[in-house]
């Protein structure tokens, strides 16, 4: 089993965090952003994981899910629901926020873009009333969302600390040794700026995504 | 679109009474009203839920590895295939074609939800291909044809005629 990641790639932070938190034994190879680690893709896709059967996993959430299943138990319905929400609702907003904060120097405007998803997360945590997203123990959903939000929520200058339940939940993750070590490895303690070289290679977010994630001005 | 897919999945699973759905938000995310507990939200989540309710866990994958592969292709479908731009279609089909070169199904040798939902998702892309383009992705068209003939899958979608690969067609000349 081998995990391919690149420094400063926010999706790789998820995979390395899941590896550290689960403690699964797996070789990690750091490659450049342009590395074509998955043989059936003509373009770079990271993170990627080569399984012992020879199959490749190329989705960061699927890699995290696999690592959790190796160690613990099958992802339940609530985990799958959070992973789907992360991929379809949170990621487009995060991509836009990263673009603004890392490349355009508009960190102060990030809270507008992330307001909607953070509010949803906050309300779900209040409603669920558990320490973690899917219950009283850490699940793959927590690790994926912690890692996805880490660059923003660990930066107090962005003013994203309004939602108390999100903050309490996030601080639980940020305090975990495995998580800190993953953040140090992938972002080198540079926070948002650690992702600059990665972001410079990404296409600008589509304008339709910008529309979707901005609050209505009615 | 999502609701029609879920209704087709229900028929495939042989459920007797259809579930009640609504959609939420601008993206029309499907929501299954579950009288037993909290609502089930999202196409992938509902599909996995229905497969488990129907006691068909193998459709979600029967090992940690196949479950991850199934989830990965389901996520690929809803994040990359859905709403893809015209210039991305070629890449999507080419990637899938390379991947399917040595596989019968997306999760290897077992038919899963990944096949059903990738089939639904790329149907609109395959409809628009001309014969030469279909010949450029023989593995996709072979897999596509296999899935559209898989008992009980096609339902709401029209059948697409897939020519045999170029070896056969050249023999006819």
């Amino acid at each position: 089993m081998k995990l391919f990641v690149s420094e400063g790639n926010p999706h790789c932070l998820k995979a390395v965090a899941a590896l550290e938190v689960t403690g699964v034994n797996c070789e990690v190879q750091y490659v450049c952003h342009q590395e074509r680690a998955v043989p059936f893709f003509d373009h770079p896709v990271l993170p990627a994981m080569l399984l012992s059967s020879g199959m490749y996993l190329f989705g960061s959430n699927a890699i995290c899910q696999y690592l959790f299943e190796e160690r613990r138990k099958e992802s339940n319905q609530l985990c799958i629901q959070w992973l789907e929400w992360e991929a379809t609702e949170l990621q487009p907003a995060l991509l836009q926020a990263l673009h603004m904060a890392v490349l355009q120097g508009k960190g102060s405007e990030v809270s507008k873009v992330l307001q909607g998803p953070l509010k949803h997360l906050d309300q779900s945590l209040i409603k669920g009333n558990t320490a973690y997203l899917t219950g009283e123990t850490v699940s793959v959903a927590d690790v994926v969302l912690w890692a996805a939000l880490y660059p923003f929520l660990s930066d107090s200058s962005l003013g994203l600390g309004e939602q108390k339940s999100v903050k309490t939940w996030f601080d639980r993750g940020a305090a975990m040794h495995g998580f800190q070590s993953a953040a140090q490895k992938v972002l080198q303690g540079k926070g948002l700026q650690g992702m600059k070289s990665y972001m410079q290679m990404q296409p600008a977010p589509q304008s339709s995504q910008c529309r979707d994630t901005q609050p209505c001005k009615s | 679109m999502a609701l029609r897919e879920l209704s087709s999945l229900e028929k495939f699973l042989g459920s007797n009474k259809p579930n009640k759905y609504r959609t939420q938000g601008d993206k029309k995310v499907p929501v299954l009203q579950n009288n037993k507990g909290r609502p089930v939200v999202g196409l992938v989540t509902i599909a996995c839920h229905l497969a488990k309710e129907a006691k068909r866990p193998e459709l979600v994958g029967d090992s940690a590895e196949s479950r991850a592969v199934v989830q990965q292709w389901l996520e690929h479908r809803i994040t990359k295939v859905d709403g893809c731009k015209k210039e991305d279609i070629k890449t999507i089909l080419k990637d899938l074609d390379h991947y399917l070169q040595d596989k019968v199904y997306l999760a290897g040798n077992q038919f899963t939800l990944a096949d059903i939902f990738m089939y639904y998702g790329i149907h609109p892309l395959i409809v628009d291909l001309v014969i030469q383009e279909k010949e450029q992705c023989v593995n996709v068209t072979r897999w596509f044809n296999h899935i559209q003939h898989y008992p009980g899958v096609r339902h709401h979608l029209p059948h697409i005629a897939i020519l045999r690969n170029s070896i056969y067609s050249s023999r006819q000349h």
Side-chain angles (χ1 to χ4, degrees), chain B residues 21-84:
Chain B
Y21 298 98
R22 62 181 170 84
T23 57
Q24 73 181 23
D26 299 341
K27 292 181 193 162
K28 295 207 163 31
V29 178
V31 181
L32 168 62
Q33 284 307 120
N34 194 344
N35 42 15
K36 277 180 250 166
R38 65 180 98 213
V40 188
V41 186
L43 182 66
V44 169
T45 311
I46 297 173
C48 295
H49 169 79
L50 293 177
K52 281 183 188 162
E53 289 274 286
K55 307 258 183 309
R56 297 287 302 275
E58 80 282 4
L59 290 173
V60 182
D62 52 13
S63 64
E65 180 174 317
S66 59
R67 277 191 290 276
V69 172
V70 169
Q71 287 299 322
Q72 151 180 296
W73 284 104
L74 291 173
E75 185 179 314
H76 185 76
R77 150 69 210 275
I78 55 172
T79 57
K80 299 288 193 309
V81 179
D82 287 358
C84 69

Side-chain angles (χ1 to χ4, degrees), chain B residues 111-128:
Chain B
F111 174 82
T112 64
L113 288 181
D115 297 294
I116 300 180
F117 283 87
M118 276 297 282
Y119 161 70
Y120 291 159
I122 71 163
H123 191 280
L125 313 187
I126 301 286
V127 165
D128 289 338

Side-chain angles (χ1 to χ4, degrees), chain B residues 104-148:
Chain B
V104 181
Y105 300 109
L106 286 170
N109 291 321
Q110 180 145 32
F111 174 82
T112 64
L113 288 181
D115 297 294
I116 300 180
F117 283 87
M118 276 297 282
Y119 161 70
Y120 291 159
I122 71 163
H123 191 280
L125 313 187
I126 301 286
V127 165
D128 289 338
L129 297 185
V130 297
I131 294 167
Q132 287 89 336
E133 288 170 315
K134 281 181 195 156
E135 281 178 358
Q136 278 166 11
C137 51
V138 286
N139 301 310
V140 171
T141 47
R142 164 183 52 81
W143 164 84
F144 186 91
N145 202 33
H146 186 168
I147 306 304
Q148 74 174 351

Side-chain angles (χ1 to χ4, degrees), chain A residues 43 53 58 69 77 84, chain B residues 45 49 65 67 72 94-95:
Chain A
H43 45 92
S53 66
F58 58 84
E69 293 212 2
Q77 185 185 301
E84 183 172 3
Chain B
T45 311
H49 169 79
E65 180 174 317
R67 277 191 290 276
Q72 151 180 296
K94 206 170 150 195
D95 287 347

